[in-house]
Amino acid sequence: MEVLQNDRLIRAAKGLPVDRIPVWVMRQAGRILPEYREVRAKAGSFIGLATHPEWAAEVTIQPVNRFDVDAAIIFSDILVVPEAMGLPYVMEEQKGPIFPQVIRSQADIDALKTAVPEEDLAYVLDAIKIVKRELSGKIPLIGFAGAPFTIFCYMVEGKGSKTFSQAKKMLYAEPALAHALLQKITDSTIAYLKAQVAVGANLIQVFDSWAGILSPVQYSAFSTPYLKQICDALTEVPLTLFAKGAFFAREEMAQLNCATIGLDWNMDIQESRQLVGPNRTLQGNLDPCALYGDFKTVETETKKMIDQFGTQRYIANLGHGVYPDIHPDKVKCFVDTVHNYPV
């Protein structure tokens, strides 16, 4: 068992007492940092950066040095899983991910493979190994993947969307086809996350970024069963579920075998605690836009948030990823305010 110099994040996830509130920031390894942009320019493209283990490791560690966060999160992308399954994507500037091919039939699903992480995603695993060596037990490293439904959305829609109407169409018109694809994604995701843990990831986060486009009934049918498979399979380390917009599923998620439930900024904190119960840790949930305020505003809003969460069974974070035009010093102010909050 690895001994960490700072294990507050893991202690909080497990419901153990902490002497200081742990904090990290979604998308902390990214476009807010000028040092990230330098490496990104050297790589030539986002995918070029994500698939180059040394550079991916470098930008993973940058926010650790800059912000003194309590965890690193491996620099990668949720869409490496469909690519590993045989459905490649391109990242277009200003547009986001584009899949030249999409899934429309059983034949399309049959053509996909179940990813073999050690072969198809070796660059992520290699980056994790480098980060672990560089961190040298200083803080934990978070591994991650997209939730099966969110990955399904991209594989069927072919791009980002406000409605994902093509993806949702399949849920209504061909539900058996949807379940077949979701299961194949789930099998690949479990293998991928287990491989991340095997090479050193101390915690896992599953991002259900498009959960909020589903009705409660659809979420119970097309997301929760696959999240359950992942939670039941990943027993080695604490697991966090972050389902953006799925305010209706908090109680349902609390029944799964996860340690932590991440909240977005639209989810009421005290209501969430009542729904989730005392045996799950909460993570979140400051509105990223609060970091556009002056330093006093950032400090005030952060303290107001912690006042509601309390200091135990809590991991401080934003309610979504930090926006690229937010000044790094505001993120540092957020982190410092959390660390200075009396426990």
Side-chain angles (χ1 to χ4, degrees), residues 56-208:
E58 184 178 346
V59 297
T60 297
I61 294 169
Q62 285 172 350
V64 176
N65 298 330
R66 174 72 83 107
F67 301 130
D68 191 30
V69 284
D70 293 294
I73 181 167
I74 193 66
F75 180 83
S76 186
D77 190 80
I78 63 171
L79 298 181
V80 298
V81 167
E83 183 157 67
M85 294 172 67
L87 202 71
Y89 71 105
V90 293
M91 191 68 80
E92 293 192 4
E93 293 294 334
Q94 310 303 323
K95 288 186 178 180
I98 304 289
F99 283 84
Q101 295 174 277
V102 293
I103 302 300
R104 289 287 184 271
S105 67
Q106 185 63 50
D108 293 337
I109 297 174
D110 292 342
L112 297 171
K113 61 179 285 190
T114 300
V116 179
E118 294 77 10
E119 298 171 10
D120 306 309
L121 294 158
Y123 57 89
V124 180
L125 305 182
D126 288 344
I128 290 174
K129 293 173 189 174
I130 296 168
V131 170
K132 293 297 292 186
R133 187 175 70 237
E134 293 294 320
L135 287 177
S136 191
K138 179 182 177 184
I139 55 173
L141 175 65
I142 302 168
F144 74 90
F149 175 71
T150 288
I151 301 302
F152 168 94
C153 283
Y154 285 104
M155 293 176 79
V156 177
E157 196 83 21
K159 61 184 188 300
S161 167
K162 290 181 179 178
T163 61
F164 283 98
S165 56
Q166 288 299 313
K168 287 184 70 177
K169 175 184 175 182
M170 188 182 287
L171 306 184
Y172 286 105
E174 298 179 278
L177 195 64
H179 282 298
L181 178 54
L182 284 161
Q183 188 59 58
K184 205 156 193 176
I185 295 167
T186 301
D187 293 342
S188 291
T189 302
I190 289 171
Y192 177 44
L193 291 174
K194 279 190 164 292
Q196 291 185 49
V197 172
V199 294
N202 302 102
L203 300 95
I204 291 295
Q205 178 151 316
V206 177
F207 290 86
D208 209 351

Side-chain angles (χ1 to χ4, degrees), residues 5-27:
Q5 296 165 41
N6 173 355
D7 66 348
R8 291 185 184 95
L9 196 81
I10 293 173
R11 291 182 65 83
K14 291 181 174 180
L16 300 172
V18 294
D19 61 344
R20 191 173 80 173
I21 300 168
V23 56
W24 66 283
V25 178
M26 286 185 278
R27 291 197 192 132

